[in-house]
Amino acid sequence: MFQLRLLGPVELVVRERTVEIGPPQRRAVLAALAVDMGRPVAADVLIQRVWGVNPPDGARRALHAHIARLRRLCEQTAKDGGDVQLCLVRRSGGYLLEAPADQVDVLRFRRLADRARETGQKDDERAALLREALCLWRGAPLADLGGQWADRVREAWRRQYVDATVAWAAVESRVGDPVAVIGPLTDLLDEFPLVERLAEALMRALHAAGRDAEALDCFATVRRRLAEELGADPGLGLREAHRTILRGNLPAPDRRPALRETSEPVPATPFPAPASPAAALWPGAVPAQLPMGVRGFTGRGDELAQLDRILVSAALQPSAVVISALSGTAGVGKTALAVHWARHAQESFPDGQLYVNLRGFGSGGSVLSPAEAVRGFLDAFGVPPARIPAGLEAQTGLYRSLLAGRRVLVVLDNARDVEQVRPLLPGAPGCLALVTSRRLLTGLAVAEGAHLLTVGLLSHGEARVLLTGRLGAGRVSAERAAVGEIVGRCAGLPLALAIVGARGAGRPRLPLAALAEELRRADNRLNALDGGEATSQVRAVFSWSYDALSPAAARLFRLLGLHPGPDAALPAVAALGGLPVTTAVALLAELVDGHLLTEHAPGRYGFHDLLRVYAAELVAARDSDLDRRSATHRLLDHYLHTAHTADVLLTPQPHPVPLPPARQGAAPEALADHEQAQAWFTAEHAVLVAAVAQACADGFDSHSWQLAAALTTFLDRHGYWRALAALQTTALEAARRQGDRAGQAGAHRGLGLAQDRLQRGGDARGHYLLALELFAALGSDAGQARTHQHLARMSAARGRHQQALDHAGHSLKHYRAAADRAGQSAALNHIGWLRAQLGDHHQALAHCRQALDLARETGDLNGQAHTWDSLGYIHHRLGRHPQAVDCYRQALDLFHRTGDRQSEAAGLLCLAEIHRVTARPDAAHTAWIRALTITDELGLPDADPLRVELLSRLGHGAGSGPRRPGVRSR
């Protein structure tokens, strides 16, 4: 027998004798063929793998020479080996190397690892399979080959080796002695010092062996490395292992006798550390974002078969993510094809399916930015906002780290260009990206090796099948000539055919010849389409569905062309039309039935972008300027007044700035509580962001900056700081054009907040100071008070306590002038806290007692909680431990009642410190654990000061003293 070995130097072994392959380039050609064993590899692909992206002029001739030598080597090997099955043949798609999978070490490794993952395997069988798989490794894969391709293959196979080692360690610990895995895991972690899964496995093995101190040292070392080299915090799995070891309740392994003899080899760690460390993963939700498939999907057999072949290549490809890009004209069914295939293939991607409409060719100009799309993917994986970095590059890195080692399908629909797509592509093998666009994304093929598929018009036969599904076989058969003409007039465009089918189905007694006659007479075109495309009758087809509408439904369809998109909820549609909701429901059902609108989620409606163009054309041509402006005004009033209500529920304000009355028919939504406000903002924030831009463009400047102001709190709390900055920039433009200084002041304050969150302190301070200047000119004490409060918080966070104290004093003065007693309470507490930081504890105590009296007077429970917390800190510093404990307990009770979890955790940290210094270590440990559990639930990053202190306390039992992450900000 023979073996082709790639998990080490490239070797061919026949009957235990190593056969000379030849020079390095020939070994590289053999390896480049072997990684795609059983599949043809194109000559151009082989050249790129061996010589790189800029091969020398003679590369093709050299390749043919190496192929000829390798073919003779295979023939000689078969002759010498007798029953050896190794051959190299030429196929239409390139060169194909054939051999039994078990005779190629990397293929055998994968087969053994896959068998170990199968359900139903017993632990002892699973351990034996993984041991056998790991012992196939002889060193660094392709150790004697250089070049970018070999480096990528090595990197991918290294990840597979780490995965198998972690799996082996887990099962070996369960069925045998965990001590056996400690050595190999320690060696491997030395070579991969930032791979958290290895550290977690080693910690669990050390704990199982009764070596908890070493396990905690391992965590501390890895945490320090992550912070120093990546600026990252340990992931949830590693933190959970650390926390449970501290609690002493990590499950011990099943101490059954070891199944292997001591002489059996233990898997080694045969290769050096990778060039780039693995990133921490967030093991959150498994996303399932695929939309519903198209009812009665028809045809596309060739395209589906090509996608199936690409799926197979994704499973076998060891070195890169596989990308398929579907391109074709508008309305040709690219999305329908992508979603249909994705739903068919979703079982191959058990770790999740992501979907986003990039809106690259929407008519409203609301193209989805890569930053928004990446943020949506991070949300889908359940990453808390507090753990999402600010910049696009950092967010993309986190997104790709989440996908590393997982099988995830990513559908990027309606892309505008390559640059919109690139940041959204997975970075690791095992995933597949499916992109749709009206443009041929050649750049993806050149740089990322994407498979390009053009989605053409339906064939005559496929179009007939589509119509048959909608009109019935008998009707289609009875009027073959009319059906033929309809297919021809619709140019094989699925969208047009679907609308014709809907029209015909809705009028079962109408002869199909009459439909064909209407098409024949139509001579207008949908000008929004690119010239020269075979879709010239689309507007005529749209007009049939439109002309069949009732007058009220037709009016609503036209007005929907004014909506900013990307979709609209039922109450907003009713406001746009100035209709009762019950009337809007009936009219929307009529539009959906006519295929002029889709209800993609309950109560949310959207257009195909061609239909949006058609609606916009109609409303511009058939409705007066007054009607269009009135409808837009109603819609913006609906969004503005509802957003204002929601914002007040999220941020209680004693004197909210009143809005002008909403126009009749705007019907703002009645939101009852914080939860409803949060849900409304979550559902509508993309629409609201688009509405701010549209209001500015259409001359509704007041709506633009007022809506931006109402969105600020939500966008800030959820980490949409780039969107907040863009929004407030638009608001500032609108307010300046209108000459509204109040709008300019609010926009500068919002821009200051966004820039502060984005760590642009200089820009933030500049905007805050401009806001102060404008608020002062306006005589707005409330605006000045709030801006000084932001400046105080920013200064305190940078350790400038005296500067912060000055701002807090100004804040108090302006809150008093505004007669805002709740604001005064917050400012007094802030001053007390800052004085305590400066060592003036008696003055701090006096200010905080005043703050508590005001908070009680106004019934402000959260204000009372923060003040009790400050009082506890001050009493602790004065050595009055019983009073401090009582204050903290009062604060904790109120924080819990008001749902302020982060402040509750901070209070627990301070309470634990008092227990520690008063020799109550068990009570201190309990409080630390409770606080850490809360921060886990909140998803705070380990770089957060509160978690830094908690982890320090639990890891070493001592720290730098109790801290508070901040004070209340109104």
Side-chain angles (χ1 to χ4, degrees), residues 561-736:
L562 301 172
H563 191 276
D567 60 3
L570 172 60
V573 175
L576 182 66
L579 303 166
V581 169
T582 52
T583 303
V585 168
L587 298 179
L588 286 166
E590 186 177 348
L591 293 174
V592 171
D593 289 344
H595 287 249
L596 291 170
L597 211 61
T598 57
E599 187 178 10
H600 63 85
R604 298 198 73 86
Y605 300 85
F607 283 117
H608 182 283
D609 51 12
L610 293 181
L611 286 164
R612 184 183 294 277
V613 169
Y614 182 58
E617 287 183 354
L618 287 177
V619 75
R622 303 193 183 187
D623 293 88
S624 68
D625 289 344
L626 178 60
D627 287 343
R628 292 196 302 272
R629 191 163 184 84
S630 295
T632 301
H633 202 155
R634 283 193 303 271
L635 180 69
L636 292 175
D637 272 2
H638 170 84
Y639 283 136
L640 174 58
H641 282 261
T642 310
H644 187 264
T645 299
D647 184 46
V648 171
L649 287 169
L650 292 185
T651 310
Q653 302 166 30
H655 307 294
V657 178
L659 296 173
R663 290 176 69 90
Q664 185 175 0
E669 295 187 51
L671 305 174
D673 52 31
H674 179 283
E675 288 73 22
Q676 289 187 14
Q678 183 79 8
W680 187 82
F681 269 133
T682 300
E684 299 291 349
H685 76 273
V687 179
L688 299 174
V689 169
V692 169
Q694 180 169 309
C696 183
D698 290 349
F700 290 92
D701 291 330
S702 294
H703 287 81
S704 182
W705 68 259
Q706 289 171 342
L707 188 54
L711 267 167
T712 297
T713 297
F714 174 84
L715 294 177
D716 175 47
R717 290 184 182 177
H718 287 261
Y720 293 107
W721 298 313
R722 289 183 179 276
L724 178 60
L727 201 71
Q728 294 293 357
T729 300
T730 300
L732 184 59
E733 175 191 342
R736 282 174 172 166

